[in-house]
Amino acid sequence: MTRYVVGRVLQAVVVLWAAYTLTFAILYLLPSDPMELQLAAAGLQLDSLTPEQLAAGKAQFGLDQSIAAQYWHHLWAALHGDFGISLTQQTPVTDLIGQRIGKTLLLSVSAATVALLAGSALAYLATFARWNPLRTFLTRLPALGASFPQFFIALFLIQFFSFQLGWLPATGSEGPSSLVMPVLTISVLNSSILAQVLIKSFDETLSQPYITTARAKGLSRSAVHLRHAFRNAVLPAMTILGVIVGLTVTSSIVVETVFTREGVGKLAQEAVLSQDVPVVLAVVTIAAALFVTVNLIVDLLYPLLDPRISHTRTRIDPEVVTAV
Amino acid sequence: MSLVDIKGLDVGYLRHRTITPAVIGLDLTVGASEVVAIVGESGSGKTTTANAIIGLLPANGRITAGSAIVDGIETAGARERTLRRLRGSVVGLIPQDPMVGLNPTKRIGAQVAEAIKLRGGTDDALDFLSEAGVPDPQLRARQYPHELSGGLRQRALIAIALAGKPKLLIADEPTSALDVTVQKRILDHLSGLVREQGISLLIITHDLAVAADRADRVVVMQGGRKVEEGDPATILSSPRDQYTRKLIAAAPRLAHSGRVVPRFDVRGEDVPDAVLTLTDVSKTFSVSDTRRGRRGFNALDKVSVQVPRGRTHALVGESGCGKTTTLRIALGLESATSGSVVLDGTEISGLSWNQVRPLRRKAQLVHQDPFATLDPRFTIEQSIVEPLVSFRIGDRRSRKARARELLDQVALPASYLDRLPRELSGGQRQRVAIARALALEPDLLMLDEPVSALDVLVQEQILQLLADLQKNLGLSYLFVSHDLSVVAEISHTVSVMSEGRVVEEGPVAEVFTNPRSEYTRELIDAIPGRRADAA
């Protein structure tokens, strides 16, 4: 077991490193001059500097070194939590993100939780319902939810709850009421995806012979559904948990922009527009870290939920196991 | 009054707003402590009848007429709540396939305890496990289904069924999923239990021989109707219905009043040269074990097998005996740890994949499960010509002509070329699989349990087809099976395998009449139909 965990953690580290390196390569090999970007942010033209000033500036940011040297320098710094200085705002990237990450994490965690609960509940009801019209309606609902673009849902919610009813603030990030609509916006898509996978998994599970065994014991429908079908149906759906958490991060870019929440998503959106390379690199790295961590947790949870997956017991040829 | 009293029962399945009948006008009774068997092929309505009795018809199943009274309760038109009182505590079910009949994420003990708790009992789950013949119940109760062998899972399922203290047990196809000797032991144990405790038993099977061995009364069903009913002795000695006669003819032991008479007797004949020779083949798998590190597991230990040209050689044994590994090595899919494999004069052990590939044309494989072996999205024609395409033989037109010819050889009409596998029955699919294997004109067919997933009558037809093909095309077969009754119908010679070794070999006629090893004797004894000699 320990061997498995260590191997799996190492794998996660490699994935994270690959994500960082790939992003670094893409961003730093883009045909734009970081010096020019910085000067433009300060309202200056590249031509207005003397060659000496330019060289001094390049030396200050390490831009006179080779790509490899820059890469190692940045990677080493990033490992120590230093993502450099924002080109546009002239403040350390770590500080910029540090001020905003709390709000984004709150949004992401709430949205993921709501998506998880709503998606599971919907799938559970859709497969448990016996009245055919209701069953059909609930089964098709996720397809509808997954087909609306998020900005559209966000604008619809603002129009309805803020402008028509005036219940919730349309923008801002103060207080719990400002969280409701962003969370709803993100979780509509995510819960729909989860529900679609879960419904399929439930249908598959309910057609298994062991469900017949459970019913033949005399268990009620609800007992069969909860005690025998649920856990087995959830197992194949667990893999998409990682995807869903990843999606909440991507979604936060759209949602924070629409609701003008001062979070990492909005920071990322602004950084991309102004080609603020260190900020983009830091955001991508943090998102990748989150994604890798969630997938790692899911992988480590699997053996606890599915006794068939075990990393300690003897593995034998299947032909041999069936022998009495 | 009988425990089960069915009168004029019609059951159908609702599809596209019309009801397709599955059971028509059935009358059936099961008395207290009586053992009744329903015999019939797929689609005969036997399983529908069983489901109606336990109130487990699928959602689209409808009882359209008649009545089915179980323990005094009318189940036709009954509400779920009423049916639930029957399940478990009045009628227990032993499902068909023990490998998938248990919840994989719950411990065995908990699954048994659930059934006890439902009827409000306080007994110990361990008692039922040991009653069902599970050795070391304390250990097994803590384990999960995947840690148990098929035989133990079957016993665990019996324990679950017993835990409800039912008056009637339904055993659905109790002989289809497990090894013959294991299944025989389990059925013997079950028969003993129901007799001791006075429980009634309803056996659902496609095999008349099994029914005749176990039941006090046999009911033969065909196309949803009951065609014959009576005690086994009467049915076997004087069957009234044409269909029953066919069933008797298809069971090797019933056809020869309790004796197994092999079809071919090659004792004393010259042995033709071998198309496939395995000499001293051993195979060691490396097994990882955290406590003891990696260790070797001997799947095969110096196995020597010869398939004479134009004849059928059978490999017989139970799961894990190494017969499938032998087949895979003979096909070049697996490499032997030591020993030699000579296919049509060429040594293939040690050759690379690309070197073996041209030889694949000489030996083709027919798989066990006709439902899984055909690509569901390929038409029959596409499936059959795939080997030709793969070896770049002929053009579109000549391939189509060849596909027609092959379908004709396996006795299927050419109109099937455009069909999809799901439109075909199991037997028809197996014919397609055979046609595909013949496409490259091989000398040798490797048949891996080719009929074990089929009904008895379909089995007989496929075996006949294989025998005809052998005669007409001069084919040789390596026939892998766990079922000696099938081997008797097709093979000239046989190797009996156990734990990776060949324990006995020779002409089938010799091995069946004079089995030298205890294990072979046990296998022969497990062929159902013993009661036929009394008839």
Side-chain angles (χ1 to χ4, degrees):
Chain A
M1 188 70 193
T2 334
R3 199 138 137 251
Y4 171 78
V5 175
V6 170
R8 207 51 206 76
V9 169
L10 282 179
Q11 220 176 319
V13 170
V14 170
V15 169
L16 195 53
W17 167 79
Y20 179 86
T21 307
L22 201 65
T23 319
F24 181 90
I26 292 169
L27 291 174
Y28 277 78
L29 297 180
L30 278 178
S32 64
D33 184 353
M35 255 342 261
E36 191 180 340
L37 288 172
Q38 266 187 65
L39 291 170
L44 291 169
Q45 290 291 313
L46 196 60
D47 312 341
S48 65
L49 266 72
T50 63
E52 289 77 33
Q53 284 175 304
L54 205 60
K58 280 194 173 177
Q60 189 195 339
F61 291 99
L63 292 171
D64 54 346
Q65 289 168 353
S66 70
I67 285 282
Q70 287 188 47
Y71 168 71
W72 285 116
H73 171 76
H74 285 285
L75 182 64
W76 188 247
L79 279 176
H80 293 81
D82 175 11
F83 284 94
I85 292 170
S86 161
L87 298 181
T88 50
Q89 306 197 28
Q90 308 298 341
T91 31
V93 175
T94 319
D95 293 352
L96 279 177
I97 291 176
Q99 290 154 15
R100 291 165 173 82
I101 192 132
K103 281 182 186 129
T104 303
L105 271 184
L106 183 65
L107 176 64
S108 285
V109 170
S110 322
T113 313
V114 170
L116 207 64
L117 294 177
S120 316
L122 181 60
Y124 195 90
L125 288 178
T127 48
F128 188 68
R130 242 193 310 187
W131 188 47
N132 251 332
L134 177 65
R135 196 185 169 97
T136 311
F137 171 74
L138 290 175
T139 310
R140 304 221 170 130
L141 203 56
L144 189 71
S147 28
F148 282 117
Q150 286 189 321
F151 71 88
F152 176 81
I153 296 174
L155 292 177
F156 171 80
L157 290 175
I158 291 175
Q159 177 67 23
F160 193 69
F161 287 106
S162 302
F163 297 161
Q164 302 251 316
L165 298 172
W167 287 357
L168 297 164
T171 57
S173 41
E174 295 312 311
S177 62
S178 70
L179 203 59
V180 176
M181 290 197 294
V183 165
L184 266 181
T185 308
I186 297 179
S187 44
V188 166
L189 174 67
N190 290 339
S191 60
S192 297
I193 295 173
L194 181 67
Q196 276 179 320
V197 176
L198 262 182
I199 287 174
K200 203 167 175 307
S201 183
F202 253 114
D203 282 340
E204 177 97 20
T205 307
L206 287 169
S207 67
Q208 293 298 312
Y210 58 79
I211 296 297
T212 312
T213 308
R215 291 185 66 200
K217 281 181 197 171
L219 286 171
S220 66
R221 261 168 54 81
S222 52
V224 171
H225 220 72
L226 187 67
R227 279 190 253 159
H228 289 273
F230 186 66
R231 184 156 161 199
N232 287 297
V234 161
L235 291 174
M238 279 208 359
T239 19
I240 70 152
L241 273 188
V243 176
I244 283 182
V245 171
L247 269 177
T248 58
V249 176
T250 334
S251 303
S252 71
I253 295 180
V254 177
V255 169
E256 287 180 353
T257 308
V258 175
F259 290 99
T260 37
R261 287 175 64 85
E262 289 300 325
V264 177
K266 187 148 174 290
L267 180 71
Q269 183 249 351
E270 288 161 1
V272 168
L273 283 184
S274 59
Q275 300 198 39
D276 196 338
V277 173
V279 175
V280 176
L281 183 57
V283 171
V284 171
T285 308
I286 288 169
L290 191 66
F291 193 77
V292 164
T293 312
V294 171
N295 277 303
L296 181 64
I297 292 171
V298 168
D299 272 2
L300 295 181
L301 273 181
Y302 254 119
L304 299 180
L305 291 174
D306 190 345
R308 284 165 297 182
I309 302 174
S310 153
H311 307 287
T312 46
R313 283 195 196 85
T314 320
R315 248 174 277 163
I316 302 183
D317 195 45
E319 202 194 19
V320 183
V321 175
T322 48
V324 178
Chain B
M1 188 168 160
S2 306
L3 186 59
V4 175
D5 197 358
I6 295 177
K7 278 201 178 66
L9 188 72
D10 283 3
V11 186
Y13 292 104
L14 188 65
R15 277 186 202 108
H16 310 297
R17 300 189 179 184
T18 54
I19 289 186
T20 320
V23 171
I24 304 152
L26 180 75
D27 295 326
L28 176 77
T29 57
V30 180
S33 3
E34 194 184 15
V35 179
V36 178
I38 302 182
V39 184
E41 59 197 353
S42 338
S44 64
K46 59 185 196 300
T47 303
T48 304
T49 307
N51 286 339
I53 292 172
I54 194 171
L56 276 180
L57 284 173
N60 65 338
R62 301 277 184 278
I63 294 179
T64 48
S67 84
I69 296 171
V70 180
D71 199 28
I73 296 169
E74 174 62 76
T75 62
R79 301 176 63 90
E80 171 77 11
R81 194 177 295 268
T82 316
L83 293 174
R84 198 145 72 74
R85 259 181 289 156
L86 285 180
R87 291 181 209 142
S89 50
V90 178
V91 189
L93 176 74
I94 302 167
Q96 181 166 0
D97 189 351
M99 301 310 282
V100 289
L102 290 161
N103 185 343
T105 55
K106 260 178 167 332
R107 290 177 202 278
I108 301 292
Q111 299 195 41
V112 178
E114 200 175 37
I116 300 170
K117 214 173 120 200
L118 263 175
R119 65 168 162 82
T122 53
D123 327 42
D124 195 342
L126 299 181
D127 295 343
F128 289 100
L129 282 170
S130 55
E131 198 177 4
V134 176
D136 200 356
Q138 279 93 346
L139 168 72
R140 300 305 178 187
R142 281 198 308 271
Q143 286 181 315
Y144 288 99
H146 71 278
E147 297 171 87
L148 270 58
S149 67
L152 281 178
R153 290 189 215 188
Q154 180 77 297
R155 289 177 193 272
L157 283 163
I158 291 174
I160 290 175
L162 289 174
K165 299 237 173 198
K167 297 176 181 168
L168 168 70
L169 275 178
I170 297 178
D172 190 2
E173 293 286 6
T175 54
S176 61
L178 295 178
D179 282 330
V180 276
T181 53
V182 177
Q183 211 42 276
K184 181 173 178 292
R185 281 197 290 272
I186 290 176
L187 273 179
D188 287 345
H189 186 76
L190 185 63
S191 307
L193 273 181
V194 293
R195 284 215 161 97
E196 265 168 43
Q197 307 189 358
I199 303 173
S200 311
L201 179 65
L202 180 65
I203 299 171
I204 308 293
T205 177
H206 68 96
D207 192 342
L208 181 59
V210 171
D213 277 353
R214 305 281 169 187
D216 304 326
R217 190 151 50 86
V218 174
V219 174
V220 182
M221 283 184 79
Q222 189 196 14
R225 291 173 207 274
K226 180 167 81 178
V227 295
E228 182 139 6
E229 179 171 9
D231 66 281
T234 320
I235 284 193
L236 293 181
S237 57
S238 49
R240 278 174 294 123
D241 189 80
Q242 184 59 37
Y243 181 69
T244 317
R245 265 178 234 138
K246 272 205 248 169
L247 285 178
I248 293 175
R253 214 169 204 166
L254 298 183
H256 305 285
S257 50
R259 285 186 311 123
V260 183
V261 180
R263 184 199 286 234
F264 300 109
D265 189 350
V266 292
R267 280 177 291 186
E269 287 180 24
D270 290 339
V271 180
D273 66 311
V275 62
L276 174 75
T277 311
L278 274 68
T279 315
D280 288 340
V281 169
S282 296
K283 176 76 185 175
T284 309
F285 286 110
S286 171
V287 177
S288 65
D289 185 327
T290 41
R291 274 162 299 173
R292 280 165 284 178
R294 298 187 76 76
R295 63 195 168 88
F297 166 76
N298 288 327
L300 293 181
D301 188 7
K302 298 206 167 181
V303 168
S304 298
V305 171
Q306 284 202 350
V307 182
R309 199 173 287 280
R311 285 192 177 170
T312 305
H313 183 78
L315 288 180
V316 182
E318 310 199 322
S319 319
C321 74
K323 56 188 195 297
T324 302
T325 308
T326 309
L327 189 84
R328 289 178 62 82
I329 289 173
L331 267 170
L333 294 174
E334 194 103 54
S335 62
T337 311
S338 67
S340 102
V341 180
V342 178
L343 175 62
D344 205 20
T346 314
E347 170 71 51
I348 64 163
S349 51
L351 294 187
S352 70
W353 183 271
N354 282 333
Q355 287 168 311
V356 176
R357 191 159 185 267
L359 294 167
R360 291 257 154 78
R361 295 184 56 172
K362 292 186 179 158
Q364 291 283 310
L365 173 73
V366 175
H367 237 274
Q368 172 171 16
D369 185 353
F371 294 92
T373 183
L374 298 173
D375 188 318
R377 277 176 292 271
F378 273 24
T379 63
I380 299 309
E381 180 184 346
Q382 283 172 319
S383 281
I384 294 179
V385 301
E386 204 191 7
L388 299 174
V389 175
S390 172
F391 277 93
R392 302 191 185 172
I393 296 168
D395 55 19
R396 189 180 289 250
R397 187 175 303 171
S398 72
R399 283 176 195 153
K400 182 156 192 139
R402 178 81 178 122
R404 257 171 217 282
E405 191 183 300
L406 286 163
L407 273 192
D408 189 52
Q409 280 180 348
V410 297
L412 285 177
S415 62
Y416 276 46
L417 283 177
D418 298 325
R419 299 207 183 177
L420 289 171
R422 65 161 182 272
E423 300 171 66
L424 271 57
S425 69
Q428 288 170 333
R429 286 183 215 207
Q430 201 57 302
R431 284 173 194 267
V432 172
I434 292 170
R436 177 175 60 184
L438 292 176
L440 293 167
E441 301 179 356
D443 299 324
L444 173 66
L445 282 193
M446 313 244 188
L447 304 152
D448 188 4
E449 303 264 11
V451 296
S452 66
L454 305 171
D455 285 340
V456 176
L457 285 183
V458 184
Q459 277 189 7
E460 198 199 16
Q461 289 160 9
I462 297 289
L463 291 176
Q464 186 58 49
L465 171 73
L466 287 171
D468 291 345
L469 287 171
Q470 183 165 56
K471 204 158 66 181
N472 298 337
L473 304 174
L475 292 169
S476 318
Y477 297 142
L478 178 60
F479 191 97
V480 169
S481 180
H482 69 275
D483 186 350
L484 271 185
S485 63
V486 170
V487 169
E489 289 292 293
I490 182 99
S491 303
H492 301 84
T493 48
V494 61
S495 301
V496 180
M497 293 185 70
S498 175
E499 291 167 8
R501 286 198 187 88
V502 174
V503 294
E504 182 155 6
E505 62 188 336
V508 173
E510 174 66 26
V511 171
F512 273 66
T513 40
N514 283 317
R516 276 173 290 124
S517 77
E518 185 52 44
Y519 182 65
T520 312
R521 219 164 290 143
E522 202 185 331
L523 280 177
I524 294 174
D525 197 41
I527 301 176
R530 275 162 298 143
R531 267 208 201 167
D533 52 357

